[in-house]
Amino acid sequence: MKFITQISSIIGIFSLLINNTYAKSINPTSNVNKPKSKRDDNYYLIYVNNTLGEINLYSDSTNQKRQESFIFVESLITEINDLIVENKDTYRNPEKIDEIEESSKLQKRKDEDQELNTFNTSNLVYPISSIKERLVLYSYLSEKLVKKVKNLDNIVDIIPQRNFSFHEYYSKEDILNETHWKNLSVRENADLHLSLISQGKYDKQKIGKYDSNYYYPSTAGKDIDIVILDSSFNFNYFEFSNTDDRIVKCAANVSDGRPSIKDIENSCGHSTLYHGESVSDTAAGLKHGAASRANVYGVSVATKGAQFSDTDLLAGLQFIYEKLVRPHKTVINLSLGGKDIINSETHKQFDSVLSAIEEKGGIIVASAGNDGELIGKSSNSIFIPCELDSVICVGGITTSQKTSIENVYKIDQYSNYGPPVDVYAPFYVINEIIKENRIQKIEVPGTSFSSPLVAGLVATIMGENPNVKYTKEVILKKLRENGKSETISKNNQSGIIANNGKHIVYSSDGKYNGCGVYAGNRPCSPDDNNNSKDNSKDNSKDNTKDNSEGNDNKPIIRKDGRCGPNYGNAVCKSGQCCNSNGRCGTGLFYCFFDCLPKYGDCY
């Protein structure tokens, strides 16, 4: 009898969810990576050297209009305006020019008695700032027009309009100090399954509002291969569009025990489940994936309903072993599982091929299954591949969108659990996949998706440290180290939550009721009642100060850049300011807003 392996997702719920999702049309066979003939148009600030001097932008004086400087600016505006009109066809969206003009006309009629700007001859380009010889114009330009306008006399530079926020509620410095990442990337307002793995446990008693950002190293799995053995794949859409930065491809299609590379450029398996599509998006999608710069190789396996045959799985694993394992640079994801008799030939063969992949330098991550059962305790059956020694096994925590944030930190009722499960990750994920020629946004449940989330997380760890020879044991040690403070349990079986090394919990509204890493890394005073509860380290101690500068006669300057009364009255280095959060730095948010003059410069 053939050993049948079930896909580790709840198929009934999965099917129901994908039938009730937002969708939009797309041609899945189109080449999304072709270069565009025109780049997107944009709003620009045009910096001008006005040697004739400053002008008043909000003056009703008729004398100014006779000044040489005014005449120069008016002439330049007319010249740029004419260029825009004459080169309308260079815009990717020329209708936008008509919209700007029409909108401005309506606004002018509405506010005709309240017009402030002296320069109202053009709605397509106009001045917004003039100080001494520095003049700034504002305009909507195509890429081609930017080049033309740059060639005009007295144009210093043309820079795309940027958005400034008042402040960031997180500290890049603190995050990099904690994680030791080379650089930080932040995906704002990310999916819950991503935000959860880049922070410690949320506690509403300490945090005002949950932080939905996903924080990760900027390497994001760069130069690490994620190999996925699954049902089918479609990489021809925006989630995998950054092929200038990584490799994303179908590696083989497996059917009847035979891998094939025929026509893999156009087809990577056929399945009505769209299981592999969601798995790959969770591991490495640009928006929904953990490792958005990792290479992705899909190996499709023929399905019968929601099942794979042992024949095709063994053939697929053999292909991966021989062709796709780059030693210490490869993560293999197996979102599948099934029970077999201990020491059966099937058990031995799966154990052999997976052990061979591990010995070759591959890191294998697999799902724990969705039976809600305690595994690893049976004397006659084994759950393959989760219970095999060469595998990092992943269970799930409850993360449905219907679940309140404070209730997600528990093993999901459907997830298997027990000694073989090495780590737990979100059980529900959000994906966007191509189904029936449309992009569909769906929420899918199962340890099938907990597993690729951890596979992606592992890829980010490996990509950040390219000189380390990663093995399963080295990765497990890192996962345990990162998750030791984020524990969960069920029926006396404990586990750790997957975490990428960032534990600081921020409040997105800036409100805190505590101190330490679980309250924005805010400093704790020696008599703070929450100090022992919230802090993984005592911020009030001066164990990081520079001893060469700190003694009874000299002010204390700490190596970690902290300052103020909560940090042993440490001061900042010369030229730096101390803000109310106890950090040294320069700029408005250190030296002007809430600056502490006793501990550094202020202005």
Side-chain angles (χ1 to χ4, degrees):
M1 179 185 292
K2 268 190 177 181
F3 169 75
I4 300 295
T5 307
Q6 293 188 346
I7 298 173
S8 296
S9 63
I10 303 170
I11 302 303
I13 298 177
F14 178 82
S15 302
L16 176 65
L17 284 166
I18 63 176
N19 288 330
N20 293 279
T21 55
Y22 167 76
K24 58 182 178 180
S25 298
I26 188 169
N27 179 4
T29 60
S30 63
N31 187 350
V32 296
N33 299 314
K34 286 183 179 178
K36 296 176 182 177
S37 57
K38 301 174 185 175
R39 293 188 183 177
D40 289 342
D41 313 321
N42 206 344
Y43 286 98
Y44 288 89
L45 299 185
I46 304 170
Y47 290 87
V48 181
N49 181 23
N50 181 8
T51 58
L52 297 173
E54 182 177 312
I55 57 172
N56 294 324
L57 301 185
Y58 308 109
S59 171
D60 57 1
S61 171
T62 56
N63 293 330
Q64 180 179 235
K65 295 185 178 182
R66 292 192 292 269
Q67 295 175 2
E68 282 186 291
S69 184
F70 185 94
I71 295 170
F72 161 74
V73 174
E74 197 168 51
S75 174
L76 181 59
I77 288 173
T78 300
E79 189 173 5
I80 296 174
N81 182 87
D82 291 345
L83 278 174
I84 293 172
V85 174
E86 292 165 7
N87 293 272
K88 201 183 212 181
D89 60 336
T90 66
Y91 285 84
R92 185 171 178 81
N93 180 20
E95 294 81 10
K96 178 73 174 178
I97 302 301
D98 297 329
E99 290 175 12
I100 292 172
E101 295 231 79
E102 186 58 32
S103 174
S104 298
K105 287 176 184 177
L106 291 172
Q107 188 64 33
K108 186 178 287 187
R109 285 199 294 268
K110 183 178 178 181
D111 300 331
E112 57 186 6
D113 296 328
Q114 302 176 34
E115 185 67 52
L116 293 175
N117 199 313
T118 308
F119 293 86
N120 54 13
T121 55
S122 172
N123 298 314
L124 301 176
V125 54
Y126 50 87
I128 61 169
S129 181
S130 174
I131 304 295
K132 297 182 180 178
E133 290 85 15
R134 296 181 62 84
L135 171 71
V136 185
L137 305 178
Y138 177 65
S139 185
Y140 188 75
L141 302 174
S142 65
E143 183 189 20
K144 189 173 181 179
L145 263 176
V146 169
K147 295 176 181 178
K148 287 191 174 187
V149 175
K150 267 189 177 180
N151 289 328
L152 297 178
D153 292 340
N154 298 299
I155 302 299
V156 178
D157 203 356
I158 302 178
I159 299 174
Q161 174 179 265
R162 295 183 298 165
N163 295 321
F164 282 76
S165 58
F166 183 71
H167 68 90
E168 294 170 337
Y169 56 82
Y170 57 87
S171 166
K172 178 179 178 180
E173 180 186 3
D174 280 3
I175 294 171
L176 292 179
N177 282 339
E178 180 191 23
T179 61
H180 304 294
W181 296 337
K182 299 179 186 72
N183 208 345
L184 170 70
S185 288
V186 181
R187 205 175 301 171
E188 296 185 351
N189 298 314
D191 303 318
L192 179 61
H193 68 263
L194 292 172
S195 62
L196 278 172
I197 65 172
S198 65
Q199 61 183 297
K201 286 184 179 180
Y202 165 82
D203 184 344
K204 65 179 181 180
Q205 301 300 322
K206 302 183 179 76
I207 296 296
K209 186 177 180 181
Y210 179 75
D211 177 17
S212 60
N213 290 347
Y214 172 46
Y215 303 87
Y216 59 101
S218 296
T219 45
K222 179 70 175 174
D223 197 38
I224 301 301
D225 301 339
I226 299 179
V227 179
I228 302 172
L229 184 68
D230 217 292
S231 61
S232 55
F233 305 89
N234 191 333
F235 300 124
N236 295 322
Y237 70 119
F238 58 83
E239 282 290 80
F240 299 97
S241 60
N242 60 331
T243 50
D244 58 333
D245 195 39
R246 60 173 173 172
I247 298 170
V248 180
K249 63 181 291 186
C250 182
N253 295 311
V254 183
S255 182
D256 296 325
R258 292 187 175 182
S260 171
I261 59 174
K262 181 181 179 181
D263 202 34
I264 55 175
E265 295 83 6
N266 300 311
S267 176
C268 202
H270 300 281
S271 173
T272 57
L273 295 176
Y274 299 92
H275 188 268
E277 287 85 344
S278 282
V279 168
S280 55
D281 191 26
T282 303
L286 274 174
K287 180 180 179 181
H288 303 290
S292 55
R293 299 181 69 191
N295 303 323
V296 183
Y297 296 89
V299 178
S300 80
V301 181
T303 60
K304 296 178 182 179
Q307 297 177 326
F308 301 123
S309 71
D310 55 358
T311 303
D312 289 339
L313 288 178
L314 286 170
L317 290 170
Q318 185 71 26
F319 179 83
I320 291 170
Y321 167 63
E322 293 187 21
K323 297 290 187 180
L324 296 177
V325 178
R326 259 198 314 148
H328 315 294
K329 298 288 183 181
T330 307
V331 184
I332 298 95
N333 183 80
L334 304 175
S335 290
L336 46 91
K339 288 183 180 179
D340 193 41
I341 299 171
I342 291 177
N343 290 326
S344 69
E345 291 306 315
T346 302
H347 170 200
K348 291 177 182 178
Q349 191 60 31
F350 273 94
D351 191 29
S352 294
V353 67
L354 291 175
S355 293
I357 290 173
E358 183 199 8
E359 289 168 9
K360 198 172 181 180
I363 309 296
I364 306 162
V365 182
S367 51
N370 307 316
D371 305 306
E373 295 180 356
L374 174 65
I375 58 175
K377 296 288 188 177
S378 174
S379 59
N380 54 20
S381 67
I382 184 170
F383 193 82
I384 298 174
C386 169
E387 290 192 55
L388 300 179
D389 291 339
S390 55
V391 171
I392 295 173
C393 183
V394 185
I397 59 172
T398 301
T399 50
S400 170
Q401 292 186 87
K402 297 179 181 178
T403 307
S404 59
I405 297 297
E406 57 266 26
N407 291 324
V408 303
Y409 303 105
K410 60 183 180 182
I411 298 172
D412 193 89
Q413 61 177 324
Y414 294 107
S415 172
N416 288 347
Y417 63 100
V421 182
D422 297 295
V423 64
Y424 292 83
F427 188 82
Y428 293 80
V429 301
I430 300 293
N431 297 129
E432 286 178 88
I433 64 169
I434 297 175
K435 181 189 177 199
E436 297 173 352
N437 297 341
R438 300 190 305 275
I439 290 182
Q440 300 197 11
K441 188 173 184 179
I442 57 177
E443 181 185 44
V444 287
T447 56
S448 272
F449 312 107
S450 311
S451 178
L453 188 57
V454 170
L457 187 155
V458 168
T460 65
I461 293 172
M462 296 169 68
E464 183 68 3
N465 303 282
N467 296 324
V468 176
K469 288 188 175 181
Y470 282 103
T471 63
K472 176 211 167 187
E473 292 308 318
V474 173
I475 287 294
L476 264 181
K477 182 179 179 181
K478 186 67 175 177
L479 291 174
R480 288 166 180 159
E481 178 185 317
N482 289 349
K484 64 185 178 183
S485 58
E486 320 300 338
T487 58
I488 50 176
S489 63
K490 180 178 180 179
N491 297 336
N492 296 319
Q493 298 295 318
S494 61
I496 58 173
I497 299 174
N499 181 278
N500 65 2
K502 176 196 164 289
H503 299 93
I504 302 173
V505 183
Y506 291 106
S507 174
S508 59
D509 63 4
K511 297 179 180 177
Y512 298 95
N513 296 309
C515 63
V517 293
Y518 294 104
N521 213 32
R522 294 173 69 81
C524 294
S525 60
D527 58 348
D528 196 314
N529 292 330
N530 293 321
N531 192 31
S532 60
K533 297 179 182 179
D534 295 347
N535 254 0
S536 60
K537 59 183 179 181
D538 187 351
N539 284 332
S540 65
K541 293 179 181 178
D542 294 331
N543 54 4
T544 54
K545 65 186 178 183
D546 188 336
N547 292 328
S548 66
E549 297 185 66
N551 55 45
D552 292 339
N553 300 318
K554 293 184 178 180
I556 298 168
I557 299 178
R558 293 169 57 112
K559 288 182 178 180
D560 61 357
R562 290 294 195 167
C563 57
N566 294 323
Y567 292 94
N569 292 317
V571 301
C572 298
K573 293 179 181 179
S574 177
Q576 290 188 331
C577 311
C578 180
N579 68 11
S580 59
N581 288 326
R583 296 189 182 96
C584 295
T586 58
L588 287 176
F589 297 104
Y590 291 91
C591 304
F592 186 77
F593 299 111
D594 296 325
C595 182
L596 304 179
K598 287 177 62 177
Y599 307 101
D601 297 337
C602 288
Y603 57 78

